[in-house]
Amino acid sequence: ELKKLDASKDSLVKLLRNMKADSSAAAVASSPKPMAEETKNPEPLPEKSSAVANLKKQLAKPKVEAIPDAIVEDEFVIERLDGTKPLLNELGKRADNRFELAGTITYLPNFRPSENHPAVVLITGSGPQDRDETIGRHKPFLEIAKYLASLGMVVLRYDDRGVGRSTGDFLSATTNNFADDARAVWQYARSLEGVDKDRVGLLGHSEGGIVGPMVAAWQREVAFLLLIAPPGLTGSEVLSSQLDRIAELQGVGDASRAAARSLQSELQR
C-alpha cells in the first residue's frame, strides 16, 4: 500500500510540473509583441458622427449670462389719497388723507429716453412687504428687477403702504386698496419718458397674483400679466390651509387641528 501511495504521489508531482510548464508557455505566447516603429503612433480614431456631436451640444449646460453690475436705480414717490379714511375730520373739516408710495425704478445705463422701452410693475404678496419683498436675507424682487432690467425693461417696485418709505395705513387696507395702489404705480410707469405706454405690464407674486388681474380688469391697457405662485383656490380655502399647516409645524395635535378647521369653516360661511 505504501508503494502504491508513493507512486501516486510521484504521478501527482509530475502532473503539477507539466501544468506549470504549460501555463508559462501560454503566458509567453499571449504576451504582446514589441510594436514596430511605424505602429507606435497609431492613426487617430475617426471623429464621431455628426448626430452624436449634435447630441453632446444639446446636453451641454447652457451658459448663464451674469447680470450686469452697472444697473441704474432711481427713487420715485407717488402721492395718493387713502380711500379707507373718512373725508372729514373730528372738526368737520376735510381730513388730510394723503399718503405716499415710495419705490425704485431699475434700468440699464444705456437707457435712451428717445427710444420706447417696455416696463413692468412688481406687486408684492400678502403681509406688509417692502419693495424688495425681503424675506430674511433674501430679496427676490431685487433680483427679479435686476434681471428684467438686464433684458432692457424698465422695472418699478415699491413699498406697500405703511411699509418702508411709504406712508399710510397698512392694517386697514384691503386687497382692493392694494390693487388701487398698483394701478397708480402702473399709470405712473406709463407716464415716464422713454417708456412705451402700450407695453407696460404687471408682475404679481402670491397675493400680487390676485391684485394684478384686478388691475388688468380695471385697465384694459395693461399689456401683459406675469403671475408667480398665484392662489389657485378661494381665499377661504387658502387661509384655512395656511392656518392648518402653521399649526402642524408648531406641533398641534390632529384632534385640535380638526376642531380648528371646523371652527374656521363655520366662521367663513
Side-chain angles (χ1 to χ4, degrees), residues 117-134:
H117 300 266
V120 61
V121 175
L122 309 188
I123 307 172
T124 63
S126 58
Q129 301 278 354
D130 64 18
R131 67 193 71 187
D132 295 332
E133 219 180 31
T134 303

Side-chain angles (χ1 to χ4, degrees), residues 1-58:
E1 291 297 327
L2 291 174
K3 289 182 179 179
K4 290 181 181 180
L5 183 60
D6 291 338
S8 299
K9 183 178 179 182
D10 292 339
S11 300
L12 180 60
V13 170
K14 290 179 180 180
L15 179 61
L16 291 175
R17 286 176 180 174
N18 292 336
M19 289 178 62
K20 183 176 181 181
D22 292 341
S23 62
S24 299
V28 171
S30 62
S31 61
K33 296 180 180 180
M35 294 179 63
E37 288 297 325
E38 60 273 12
T39 61
K40 285 186 179 179
N41 298 316
E43 292 292 329
L45 294 174
E47 294 184 0
K48 295 183 179 179
S49 65
S50 58
V52 175
N54 290 335
L55 180 60
K56 289 185 69 176
K57 289 181 180 179
Q58 294 176 9

Side-chain angles (χ1 to χ4, degrees), residues 173-246:
T174 64
T175 302
N176 192 75
N177 300 131
F178 297 137
D180 201 34
D181 291 344
R183 175 167 61 175
V185 179
W186 174 82
Q187 290 172 335
Y188 173 75
R190 296 184 79 214
S191 70
L192 294 174
E193 185 180 6
V195 169
D196 185 352
K197 68 176 183 178
D198 294 325
R199 292 194 294 164
V200 181
L202 305 169
L203 183 152
H205 170 234
S206 187
E207 187 183 10
I210 299 176
V211 171
M214 290 175 65
V215 178
W218 297 341
Q219 301 284 166
R220 297 181 60 184
E221 298 85 358
V222 171
F224 57 85
L225 280 172
L226 298 172
L227 307 180
I228 302 176
L233 303 171
T234 64
S236 60
E237 290 174 313
V238 171
L239 181 60
S240 295
S241 63
Q242 287 181 340
L243 291 175
D244 184 61
R245 180 58 176 157
I246 292 172

Side-chain angles (χ1 to χ4, degrees), residues 24-144:
S24 299
V28 171
S30 62
S31 61
K33 296 180 180 180
M35 294 179 63
E37 288 297 325
E38 60 273 12
T39 61
K40 285 186 179 179
N41 298 316
E43 292 292 329
L45 294 174
E47 294 184 0
K48 295 183 179 179
S49 65
S50 58
V52 175
N54 290 335
L55 180 60
K56 289 185 69 176
K57 289 181 180 179
Q58 294 176 9
L59 295 177
K61 293 183 179 180
K63 293 182 180 180
V64 179
E65 296 183 1
I67 297 176
D69 293 330
I71 292 291
V72 179
E73 292 197 321
D74 293 332
E75 298 289 309
F76 72 87
V77 175
I78 301 173
E79 188 172 288
R80 304 273 294 129
L81 286 176
D82 191 347
T84 65
K85 305 295 183 182
L87 294 177
L88 302 178
N89 59 23
E90 297 176 352
L91 300 177
K93 297 183 179 181
R94 187 175 182 84
D96 185 6
N97 295 330
R98 291 175 297 178
F99 71 97
E100 294 179 340
L101 291 176
T104 302
I105 306 174
T106 309
Y107 55 94
L108 285 175
N110 60 357
F111 174 83
R112 297 180 180 178
S114 59
E115 300 177 0
N116 287 330
H117 300 266
V120 61
V121 175
L122 309 188
I123 307 172
T124 63
S126 58
Q129 301 278 354
D130 64 18
R131 67 193 71 187
D132 295 332
E133 219 180 31
T134 303
I135 305 174
R137 295 180 299 170
H138 303 286
K139 297 179 180 292
F141 270 17
L142 171 62
E143 300 305 320
I144 291 174

